[in-house]
Amino acid sequence: MFGKKCPHCGVKLGDFLYADACPHCQEVLKDNLPMRTSARVKVETAKSWPVRAFFSIVSFVES
């Protein structure tokens, strides 16, 4: 498990196996960075006319 080396300087990462940067050369370890997620997409909730009417009345009352 602790056999992985830094691709830049070749130092064993040891306890820093899951670090974002190498503790020796401070280069970013791209394999350890968290995956970026895309922006949330607005989901269309309901398409039936009674539900749309209800939400339009609620938004009118709240405004």
Side-chain angles (χ1 to χ4, degrees):
M1 177 175 168
F2 295 111
K4 188 174 177 186
K5 294 183 176 183
C6 174
H8 304 287
C9 62
V11 173
K12 283 188 180 178
L13 293 175
D15 291 338
F16 300 99
L17 185 63
Y18 299 107
D20 291 337
C22 175
H24 183 257
C25 65
Q26 276 70 34
E27 288 290 326
V28 175
L29 301 171
K30 294 180 182 175
D31 295 339
N32 292 349
L33 293 178
M35 293 177 45
R36 295 188 180 239
T37 57
S38 61
R40 292 189 177 199
V41 178
K42 186 176 180 182
V43 178
E44 208 172 303
T45 54
K47 295 182 179 181
S48 64
W49 72 267
V51 175
R52 284 194 318 245
F54 173 74
F55 284 118
S56 65
I57 292 170
V58 168
S59 65
F60 174 74
V61 170
E62 288 179 349
S63 62

